Amino acid sequence: MRASSGVATLLVLVLLVVGVWPVKGDLSPSQCEQEKRLLVNACRAVVFGQKPSPNCCERVRVTHAECVCPSVTPKFAALINVQRTISQIQGCGRTVPRNFKCGSITTPP
């Protein structure tokens, strides 16, 4: 797996899972950046083809969607395999809704 593709998959995994279970709350830009850093660090192994760890899944559940979904641009979305990402999300024991939109990604119907 190419590194850039792996990083893109990690970020979309994070973004889609976060989008599925949004946590409500007003956060400052610095708090959002902190959440994104914690999430990416917890889920780094996904870049290397591993399944999301329990720690990664936990970070996904507590991170605010409004902090990460804006990062999903059309260029970024073109780098990932949505079906693989959905499978990884399901590996966290979560269901991904059909036609869910997070940034420029919409899950299949």
Side-chain angles (χ1 to χ4, degrees):
M1 173 187 297
R2 289 186 356 234
S4 63
S5 175
V7 170
T9 299
L10 167 63
L11 290 174
V12 171
L13 165 67
V14 166
L15 295 169
L16 286 176
V17 175
V18 168
V20 173
W21 300 279
V23 178
K24 302 279 184 203
D26 293 326
L27 295 178
S28 71
S30 64
Q31 289 171 313
C32 277
E33 286 303 315
Q34 171 77 9
E35 282 200 1
K36 287 192 285 187
R37 272 193 306 276
L38 290 169
L39 188 60
V40 168
N41 287 338
C43 298
R44 191 169 308 278
V46 175
V47 173
F48 301 104
Q50 295 179 18
K51 292 183 180 181
S53 68
N55 186 39
C56 173
C57 289
E58 174 62 22
R59 287 303 321 162
V60 163
R61 288 189 289 271
V62 300
T63 300
H64 294 76
E66 64 268 22
C67 291
V68 291
C69 283
S71 300
V72 183
T73 64
K75 184 177 179 179
F76 178 80
L79 296 174
I80 63 100
N81 177 330
V82 173
Q83 196 56 51
R84 178 175 182 266
T85 302
I86 290 170
S87 294
Q88 290 173 320
I89 293 166
Q90 292 168 338
C92 283
R94 300 298 180 193
T95 302
V96 177
R98 297 179 189 276
N99 295 316
F100 176 76
K101 184 156 179 64
C102 181
S104 295
I105 299 267
T106 301
T107 59

